[in-house]
């Protein structure tokens, strides 16, 4: 099954994707971008765009994921982000479900300001909502947890999201594969609802 996770920054796309990881290959464009060294020309260009809340050009994103769509079950986290990306993806493979994580905007800052992420495996935690067992250390790989520097860019990211999301939603609605998920509940419940949605053969 091929699934696309859509939603506001901080809606929990990465968290849901990592919980599904044993069953699905996760392709997170945000993660792939963060792995590009900032010392390279491309890395500098990407850092300039991401730190200002903009979108990395579609051709860069497509190159990044091109050779990675090689699994039976794939979750796309943070991709597509433009209608063009959705159309290109559609030409490459059949998406079974596009899931829109719905969250109250007031929650976003709380979630993003408390987020911790592993420097090695990129696993996501939250100071209050989902703390690691050992302070500052990743439960899974023992890597150091850091705070992503994205609070500054959040306003711009929200504007960019609002500008681009409707054409993507309409694209998947027309295909009859768009599903909405209330992501304003505790992580465990959101995950249960998501699993139900994925297991449901009918719409
Ligand atoms: P990306 O890394 O994809 O960021 P994003 O989509 O803005 O989303 P976030 O990662 O900030 O949030 P999330 O929804 O994954 O939530 P999370 O699970 O972390 O992209 C970063 C940038 O890269 C973009 O702005 C853009 O510049 C560029 N980029 C990426 N992809 C691109 C593309 N395709 N095209 C062009 N440019 C691209 O959760 C957040 C926090 O909340 C965590 O601490 C978590 O523990 C907590 N939490 C999660 N769920 C819950 C819950 N249910 N209850 C309580 N707390 C929760």
């Amino acid at each position: 099954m091929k699934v696309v996770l859509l939603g506001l920054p901080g809606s929990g796309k990465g968290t849901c994707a990592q919980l599904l990881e044993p069953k699905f290959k996760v392709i997170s464009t945000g993660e792939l971008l963060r792995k590009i060294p900032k010392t390279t020309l491309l890395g500098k260009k990407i850092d300039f765009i991401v730190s200002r809340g903009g979108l990395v050009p579609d051709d860069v994103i497509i190159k990044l994921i091109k050779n990675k769509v090689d699994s039976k079950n794939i979750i796309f986290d943070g991709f597509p982000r433009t209608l063009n990306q959705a159309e290109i993806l559609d030409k490459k493979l059949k998406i079974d479900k596009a899931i829109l994580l719905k969250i109250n905007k007031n929650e976003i800052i709380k979630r993003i300001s408390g987020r911790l992420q592993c420097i090695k495996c990129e696993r996501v935690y939250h100071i209050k909502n989902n703390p690691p067992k050992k302070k500052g250390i990743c439960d899974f790989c023992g890597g150091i947890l850091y705070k992503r520097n994205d609070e500054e860019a959040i306003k711009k990211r929200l504007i960019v999201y609002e500008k681009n999301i409707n054409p993507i939603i309409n694209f998947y609605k027309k295909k009859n594969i768009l599903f909405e998920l209330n992501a304003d509940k505790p992580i465990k419940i959101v995950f249960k609802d998501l699993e139900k949605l994925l297991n449901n053969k009918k719409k």
Side-chain angles (χ1 to χ4, degrees), residues 12-50:
K13 301 178 295 295
T15 303
C16 287
Q18 73 191 27
L19 288 167
L20 291 167
E21 218 162 1
K23 290 183 192 158
F24 287 83
K25 173 173 182 173
V26 174
I27 299 182
S28 158
T29 42
E31 183 180 333
L32 291 170
L33 291 170
R34 282 187 287 280
K35 278 188 181 150
I36 298 173
K38 290 192 179 83
T39 45
T40 62
L41 195 61
L42 179 64
K44 279 187 188 128
K45 191 179 157 193
I46 288 169
D47 187 48
F48 183 86
I49 297 169
V50 172

mmCIF file of all heavy atoms in Angstrom, residues 12-50:
data_model
loop_
_atom_site.group_PDB
_atom_site.id
_atom_site.type_symbol
_atom_site.label_atom_id
_atom_site.label_comp_id
_atom_site.label_asym_id
_atom_site.label_seq_id
_atom_site.Cartn_x
_atom_site.Cartn_y
_atom_site.Cartn_z
ATOM 1 N N GLY A 12 1.822 16.021 13.187
ATOM 2 C CA GLY A 12 2.176 14.663 13.634
ATOM 3 C C GLY A 12 2.477 13.689 12.507
ATOM 4 O O GLY A 12 2.487 12.478 12.719
ATOM 5 N N LYS A 13 2.777 14.207 11.317
ATOM 6 C CA LYS A 13 3.069 13.334 10.163
ATOM 7 C C LYS A 13 4.273 12.431 10.460
ATOM 8 O O LYS A 13 4.216 11.222 10.269
ATOM 9 C CB LYS A 13 3.348 14.171 8.906
ATOM 10 C CG LYS A 13 2.210 15.077 8.491
ATOM 11 C CD LYS A 13 2.559 15.901 7.272
ATOM 12 C CE LYS A 13 3.678 16.893 7.460
ATOM 13 N NZ LYS A 13 3.423 17.977 8.398
ATOM 14 N N GLY A 14 5.337 13.052 10.944
ATOM 15 C CA GLY A 14 6.567 12.294 11.235
ATOM 16 C C GLY A 14 6.337 11.275 12.336
ATOM 17 O O GLY A 14 6.788 10.129 12.251
ATOM 18 N N THR A 15 5.597 11.669 13.362
ATOM 19 C CA THR A 15 5.311 10.779 14.496
ATOM 20 C C THR A 15 4.517 9.569 14.025
ATOM 21 O O THR A 15 4.849 8.435 14.359
ATOM 22 C CB THR A 15 4.521 11.557 15.588
ATOM 23 O OG1 THR A 15 5.309 12.686 15.967
ATOM 24 C CG2 THR A 15 4.213 10.700 16.795
ATOM 25 N N CYS A 16 3.474 9.805 13.226
ATOM 26 C CA CYS A 16 2.663 8.694 12.701
ATOM 27 C C CYS A 16 3.506 7.806 11.805
ATOM 28 O O CYS A 16 3.446 6.577 11.901
ATOM 29 C CB CYS A 16 1.470 9.231 11.909
ATOM 30 S SG CYS A 16 0.202 9.931 12.968
ATOM 31 N N ALA A 17 4.302 8.427 10.941
ATOM 32 C CA ALA A 17 5.111 7.632 10.007
ATOM 33 C C ALA A 17 6.070 6.728 10.773
ATOM 34 O O ALA A 17 6.216 5.557 10.451
ATOM 35 C CB ALA A 17 5.878 8.563 9.071
ATOM 36 N N GLN A 18 6.698 7.261 11.817
ATOM 37 C CA GLN A 18 7.680 6.427 12.527
ATOM 38 C C GLN A 18 7.005 5.277 13.282
ATOM 39 O O GLN A 18 7.587 4.216 13.442
ATOM 40 C CB GLN A 18 8.593 7.261 13.423
ATOM 41 C CG GLN A 18 7.975 7.797 14.674
ATOM 42 C CD GLN A 18 8.867 8.831 15.379
ATOM 43 O OE1 GLN A 18 9.674 9.518 14.759
ATOM 44 N NE2 GLN A 18 8.726 8.952 16.677
ATOM 45 N N LEU A 19 5.750 5.474 13.694
ATOM 46 C CA LEU A 19 5.035 4.385 14.361
ATOM 47 C C LEU A 19 4.657 3.277 13.371
ATOM 48 O O LEU A 19 4.474 2.125 13.744
ATOM 49 C CB LEU A 19 3.776 4.920 15.058
ATOM 50 C CG LEU A 19 4.042 5.744 16.317
ATOM 51 C CD1 LEU A 19 2.786 6.500 16.753
ATOM 52 C CD2 LEU A 19 4.528 4.873 17.464
ATOM 53 N N LEU A 20 4.543 3.646 12.112
ATOM 54 C CA LEU A 20 4.182 2.655 11.084
ATOM 55 C C LEU A 20 5.411 1.989 10.479
ATOM 56 O O LEU A 20 5.300 1.084 9.656
ATOM 57 C CB LEU A 20 3.386 3.336 9.961
ATOM 58 C CG LEU A 20 1.982 3.808 10.322
ATOM 59 C CD1 LEU A 20 1.446 4.733 9.241
ATOM 60 C CD2 LEU A 20 1.045 2.619 10.489
ATOM 61 N N GLU A 21 6.568 2.467 10.887
ATOM 62 C CA GLU A 21 7.814 2.055 10.246
ATOM 63 C C GLU A 21 8.073 0.545 10.141
ATOM 64 O O GLU A 21 8.603 0.112 9.125
ATOM 65 C CB GLU A 21 9.008 2.730 10.901
ATOM 66 C CG GLU A 21 10.021 3.104 9.862
ATOM 67 C CD GLU A 21 11.033 4.131 10.318
ATOM 68 O OE1 GLU A 21 10.981 4.573 11.473
ATOM 69 O OE2 GLU A 21 11.871 4.468 9.495
ATOM 70 N N PRO A 22 7.687 -0.259 11.107
ATOM 71 C CA PRO A 22 7.979 -1.670 10.870
ATOM 72 C C PRO A 22 7.256 -2.238 9.643
ATOM 73 O O PRO A 22 7.770 -3.111 8.976
ATOM 74 C CB PRO A 22 7.450 -2.355 12.142
ATOM 75 C CG PRO A 22 7.264 -1.270 13.136
ATOM 76 C CD PRO A 22 7.066 -0.008 12.398
ATOM 77 N N LYS A 23 6.072 -1.694 9.356
ATOM 78 C CA LYS A 23 5.285 -2.239 8.240
ATOM 79 C C LYS A 23 5.502 -1.485 6.930
ATOM 80 O O LYS A 23 5.244 -2.009 5.867
ATOM 81 C CB LYS A 23 3.782 -2.179 8.575
ATOM 82 C CG LYS A 23 3.376 -3.149 9.669
ATOM 83 C CD LYS A 23 1.880 -3.071 9.881
ATOM 84 C CE LYS A 23 1.484 -3.794 11.162
ATOM 85 N NZ LYS A 23 0.214 -3.354 11.678
ATOM 86 N N PHE A 24 5.921 -0.235 7.037
ATOM 87 C CA PHE A 24 6.057 0.609 5.850
ATOM 88 C C PHE A 24 7.472 1.170 5.727
ATOM 89 O O PHE A 24 8.107 1.463 6.738
ATOM 90 C CB PHE A 24 5.119 1.829 5.956
ATOM 91 C CG PHE A 24 3.671 1.516 5.756
ATOM 92 C CD1 PHE A 24 2.896 1.032 6.808
ATOM 93 C CD2 PHE A 24 3.068 1.717 4.526
ATOM 94 C CE1 PHE A 24 1.554 0.753 6.633
ATOM 95 C CE2 PHE A 24 1.715 1.447 4.342
ATOM 96 C CZ PHE A 24 0.952 0.964 5.389
ATOM 97 N N LYS A 25 7.890 1.358 4.496
ATOM 98 C CA LYS A 25 9.101 2.141 4.269
ATOM 99 C C LYS A 25 8.674 3.606 4.369
ATOM 100 O O LYS A 25 7.686 3.997 3.741
ATOM 101 C CB LYS A 25 9.666 1.851 2.878
ATOM 102 C CG LYS A 25 10.834 2.758 2.511
ATOM 103 C CD LYS A 25 11.486 2.337 1.217
ATOM 104 C CE LYS A 25 12.669 3.244 0.928
ATOM 105 N NZ LYS A 25 13.458 2.793 -0.228
ATOM 106 N N VAL A 26 9.380 4.389 5.165
ATOM 107 C CA VAL A 26 9.009 5.794 5.319
ATOM 108 C C VAL A 26 9.907 6.663 4.438
ATOM 109 O O VAL A 26 11.129 6.559 4.514
ATOM 110 C CB VAL A 26 9.127 6.250 6.796
ATOM 111 C CG1 VAL A 26 8.876 7.749 6.917
ATOM 112 C CG2 VAL A 26 8.154 5.481 7.678
ATOM 113 N N ILE A 27 9.280 7.482 3.625
ATOM 114 C CA ILE A 27 10.048 8.452 2.835
ATOM 115 C C ILE A 27 9.640 9.837 3.308
ATOM 116 O O ILE A 27 8.518 10.286 3.062
ATOM 117 C CB ILE A 27 9.798 8.283 1.320
ATOM 118 C CG1 ILE A 27 10.238 6.865 0.893
ATOM 119 C CG2 ILE A 27 10.548 9.353 0.535
ATOM 120 C CD1 ILE A 27 10.086 6.587 -0.594
ATOM 121 N N SER A 28 10.543 10.469 4.051
ATOM 122 C CA SER A 28 10.276 11.804 4.584
ATOM 123 C C SER A 28 11.183 12.792 3.863
ATOM 124 O O SER A 28 12.404 12.740 3.993
ATOM 125 C CB SER A 28 10.565 11.834 6.094
ATOM 126 O OG SER A 28 10.800 13.155 6.518
ATOM 127 N N THR A 29 10.560 13.685 3.079
ATOM 128 C CA THR A 29 11.398 14.623 2.323
ATOM 129 C C THR A 29 12.099 15.612 3.259
ATOM 130 O O THR A 29 13.242 15.982 3.013
ATOM 131 C CB THR A 29 10.578 15.374 1.244
ATOM 132 O OG1 THR A 29 9.316 15.759 1.802
ATOM 133 C CG2 THR A 29 10.347 14.514 0.034
ATOM 134 N N GLY A 30 11.432 15.977 4.363
ATOM 135 C CA GLY A 30 12.080 16.870 5.343
ATOM 136 C C GLY A 30 13.355 16.220 5.880
ATOM 137 O O GLY A 30 14.406 16.859 5.970
ATOM 138 N N GLU A 31 13.264 14.929 6.203
ATOM 139 C CA GLU A 31 14.416 14.206 6.743
ATOM 140 C C GLU A 31 15.528 14.100 5.692
ATOM 141 O O GLU A 31 16.705 14.314 5.989
ATOM 142 C CB GLU A 31 13.964 12.809 7.198
ATOM 143 C CG GLU A 31 15.064 12.003 7.847
ATOM 144 C CD GLU A 31 14.582 10.610 8.290
ATOM 145 O OE1 GLU A 31 13.386 10.443 8.567
ATOM 146 O OE2 GLU A 31 15.436 9.715 8.326
ATOM 147 N N LEU A 32 15.136 13.783 4.460
ATOM 148 C CA LEU A 32 16.142 13.657 3.391
ATOM 149 C C LEU A 32 16.863 14.994 3.180
ATOM 150 O O LEU A 32 18.070 15.024 2.978
ATOM 151 C CB LEU A 32 15.475 13.209 2.079
ATOM 152 C CG LEU A 32 14.944 11.770 2.080
ATOM 153 C CD1 LEU A 32 14.093 11.520 0.840
ATOM 154 C CD2 LEU A 32 16.093 10.768 2.138
ATOM 155 N N LEU A 33 16.096 16.075 3.284
ATOM 156 C CA LEU A 33 16.715 17.398 3.112
ATOM 157 C C LEU A 33 17.672 17.710 4.259
ATOM 158 O O LEU A 33 18.756 18.254 4.042
ATOM 159 C CB LEU A 33 15.631 18.494 3.035
ATOM 160 C CG LEU A 33 14.757 18.502 1.780
ATOM 161 C CD1 LEU A 33 13.591 19.464 1.946
ATOM 162 C CD2 LEU A 33 15.576 18.892 0.550
ATOM 163 N N ARG A 34 17.276 17.331 5.476
ATOM 164 C CA ARG A 34 18.142 17.615 6.642
ATOM 165 C C ARG A 34 19.443 16.821 6.591
ATOM 166 O O ARG A 34 20.416 17.181 7.233
ATOM 167 C CB ARG A 34 17.392 17.338 7.951
ATOM 168 C CG ARG A 34 16.420 18.437 8.336
ATOM 169 C CD ARG A 34 15.817 18.239 9.711
ATOM 170 N NE ARG A 34 14.855 17.176 9.766
ATOM 171 C CZ ARG A 34 13.568 17.271 9.371
ATOM 172 N NH1 ARG A 34 13.122 18.413 8.930
ATOM 173 N NH2 ARG A 34 12.752 16.239 9.437
ATOM 174 N N LYS A 35 19.451 15.738 5.841
ATOM 175 C CA LYS A 35 20.659 14.900 5.750
ATOM 176 C C LYS A 35 21.691 15.464 4.780
ATOM 177 O O LYS A 35 22.831 15.022 4.778
ATOM 178 C CB LYS A 35 20.273 13.477 5.317
ATOM 179 C CG LYS A 35 19.785 12.648 6.491
ATOM 180 C CD LYS A 35 19.592 11.211 6.108
ATOM 181 C CE LYS A 35 19.079 10.419 7.301
ATOM 182 N NZ LYS A 35 18.244 9.293 6.874
ATOM 183 N N ILE A 36 21.296 16.403 3.952
ATOM 184 C CA ILE A 36 22.248 16.973 2.990
ATOM 185 C C ILE A 36 23.175 17.936 3.748
ATOM 186 O O ILE A 36 22.705 18.880 4.389
ATOM 187 C CB ILE A 36 21.503 17.712 1.851
ATOM 188 C CG1 ILE A 36 20.639 16.697 1.092
ATOM 189 C CG2 ILE A 36 22.473 18.415 0.921
ATOM 190 C CD1 ILE A 36 19.729 17.288 0.055
ATOM 191 N N PRO A 37 24.485 17.684 3.726
ATOM 192 C CA PRO A 37 25.401 18.520 4.513
ATOM 193 C C PRO A 37 25.306 20.006 4.146
ATOM 194 O O PRO A 37 25.277 20.353 2.962
ATOM 195 C CB PRO A 37 26.787 17.950 4.168
ATOM 196 C CG PRO A 37 26.543 16.612 3.598
ATOM 197 C CD PRO A 37 25.180 16.640 2.970
ATOM 198 N N LYS A 38 25.269 20.834 5.187
ATOM 199 C CA LYS A 38 25.140 22.285 4.961
ATOM 200 C C LYS A 38 26.425 22.881 4.391
ATOM 201 O O LYS A 38 26.474 24.053 4.046
ATOM 202 C CB LYS A 38 24.762 22.986 6.270
ATOM 203 C CG LYS A 38 23.345 22.672 6.709
ATOM 204 C CD LYS A 38 22.889 23.599 7.829
ATOM 205 C CE LYS A 38 21.471 23.288 8.233
ATOM 206 N NZ LYS A 38 21.295 22.207 9.172
ATOM 207 N N THR A 39 27.469 22.069 4.329
ATOM 208 C CA THR A 39 28.748 22.553 3.790
ATOM 209 C C THR A 39 28.753 22.520 2.256
ATOM 210 O O THR A 39 29.587 23.153 1.628
ATOM 211 C CB THR A 39 29.894 21.659 4.309
ATOM 212 O OG1 THR A 39 29.471 20.294 4.175
ATOM 213 C CG2 THR A 39 30.230 21.953 5.766
ATOM 214 N N THR A 40 27.814 21.758 1.663
ATOM 215 C CA THR A 40 27.767 21.696 0.191
ATOM 216 C C THR A 40 26.944 22.874 -0.344
ATOM 217 O O THR A 40 26.150 23.477 0.398
ATOM 218 C CB THR A 40 27.101 20.386 -0.288
ATOM 219 O OG1 THR A 40 25.740 20.378 0.194
ATOM 220 C CG2 THR A 40 27.811 19.154 0.254
ATOM 221 N N LEU A 41 27.118 23.153 -1.628
ATOM 222 C CA LEU A 41 26.384 24.265 -2.241
ATOM 223 C C LEU A 41 24.874 24.008 -2.170
ATOM 224 O O LEU A 41 24.090 24.886 -1.806
ATOM 225 C CB LEU A 41 26.835 24.408 -3.710
ATOM 226 C CG LEU A 41 26.433 25.718 -4.381
ATOM 227 C CD1 LEU A 41 27.055 26.905 -3.656
ATOM 228 C CD2 LEU A 41 26.846 25.693 -5.841
ATOM 229 N N LEU A 42 24.494 22.751 -2.494
ATOM 230 C CA LEU A 42 23.074 22.395 -2.443
ATOM 231 C C LEU A 42 22.551 22.512 -1.007
ATOM 232 O O LEU A 42 21.458 23.041 -0.766
ATOM 233 C CB LEU A 42 22.871 20.960 -2.973
ATOM 234 C CG LEU A 42 21.428 20.458 -2.949
ATOM 235 C CD1 LEU A 42 20.551 21.282 -3.882
ATOM 236 C CD2 LEU A 42 21.355 18.975 -3.326
ATOM 237 N N GLY A 43 23.343 22.029 -0.057
ATOM 238 C CA GLY A 43 22.962 22.090 1.361
ATOM 239 C C GLY A 43 22.736 23.529 1.821
ATOM 240 O O GLY A 43 21.786 23.822 2.552
ATOM 241 N N LYS A 44 23.601 24.418 1.348
ATOM 242 C CA LYS A 44 23.472 25.844 1.734
ATOM 243 C C LYS A 44 22.196 26.435 1.142
ATOM 244 O O LYS A 44 21.472 27.172 1.798
ATOM 245 C CB LYS A 44 24.686 26.627 1.205
ATOM 246 C CG LYS A 44 25.900 26.477 2.090
ATOM 247 C CD LYS A 44 27.010 27.403 1.625
ATOM 248 C CE LYS A 44 28.253 27.063 2.427
ATOM 249 N NZ LYS A 44 29.424 26.812 1.627
ATOM 250 N N LYS A 45 21.939 26.077 -0.104
ATOM 251 C CA LYS A 45 20.741 26.591 -0.806
ATOM 252 C C LYS A 45 19.474 26.104 -0.063
ATOM 253 O O LYS A 45 18.550 26.880 0.199
ATOM 254 C CB LYS A 45 20.771 26.067 -2.245
ATOM 255 C CG LYS A 45 19.770 26.689 -3.167
ATOM 256 C CD LYS A 45 19.919 26.115 -4.569
ATOM 257 C CE LYS A 45 18.624 26.286 -5.339
ATOM 258 N NZ LYS A 45 18.587 25.510 -6.570
ATOM 259 N N ILE A 46 19.489 24.824 0.282
ATOM 260 C CA ILE A 46 18.321 24.241 0.964
ATOM 261 C C ILE A 46 18.136 24.885 2.335
ATOM 262 O O ILE A 46 17.022 25.255 2.722
ATOM 263 C CB ILE A 46 18.489 22.706 1.069
ATOM 264 C CG1 ILE A 46 18.307 22.094 -0.322
ATOM 265 C CG2 ILE A 46 17.505 22.100 2.071
ATOM 266 C CD1 ILE A 46 18.697 20.647 -0.425
ATOM 267 N N ASP A 47 19.227 25.036 3.064
ATOM 268 C CA ASP A 47 19.148 25.640 4.402
ATOM 269 C C ASP A 47 18.560 27.055 4.319
ATOM 270 O O ASP A 47 17.737 27.449 5.144
ATOM 271 C CB ASP A 47 20.538 25.651 5.031
ATOM 272 C CG ASP A 47 20.478 26.113 6.480
ATOM 273 O OD1 ASP A 47 19.624 25.588 7.217
ATOM 274 O OD2 ASP A 47 21.243 27.028 6.863
ATOM 275 N N PHE A 48 18.969 27.794 3.295
ATOM 276 C CA PHE A 48 18.474 29.165 3.109
ATOM 277 C C PHE A 48 16.949 29.147 2.944
ATOM 278 O O PHE A 48 16.236 29.928 3.558
ATOM 279 C CB PHE A 48 19.152 29.786 1.877
ATOM 280 C CG PHE A 48 18.775 31.215 1.631
ATOM 281 C CD1 PHE A 48 19.467 32.240 2.272
ATOM 282 C CD2 PHE A 48 17.719 31.552 0.789
ATOM 283 C CE1 PHE A 48 19.113 33.571 2.072
ATOM 284 C CE2 PHE A 48 17.351 32.872 0.583
ATOM 285 C CZ PHE A 48 18.056 33.877 1.234
ATOM 286 N N ILE A 49 16.472 28.223 2.140
ATOM 287 C CA ILE A 49 15.024 28.156 1.864
ATOM 288 C C ILE A 49 14.255 27.653 3.096
ATOM 289 O O ILE A 49 13.276 28.268 3.536
ATOM 290 C CB ILE A 49 14.741 27.214 0.660
ATOM 291 C CG1 ILE A 49 15.397 27.764 -0.598
ATOM 292 C CG2 ILE A 49 13.240 27.015 0.458
ATOM 293 C CD1 ILE A 49 15.405 26.803 -1.781
ATOM 294 N N VAL A 50 14.721 26.514 3.661
ATOM 295 C CA VAL A 50 13.985 25.876 4.769
ATOM 296 C C VAL A 50 13.945 26.797 5.993
ATOM 297 O O VAL A 50 12.901 26.937 6.635
ATOM 298 C CB VAL A 50 14.617 24.505 5.117
ATOM 299 C CG1 VAL A 50 14.001 23.927 6.377
ATOM 300 C CG2 VAL A 50 14.446 23.540 3.943
#
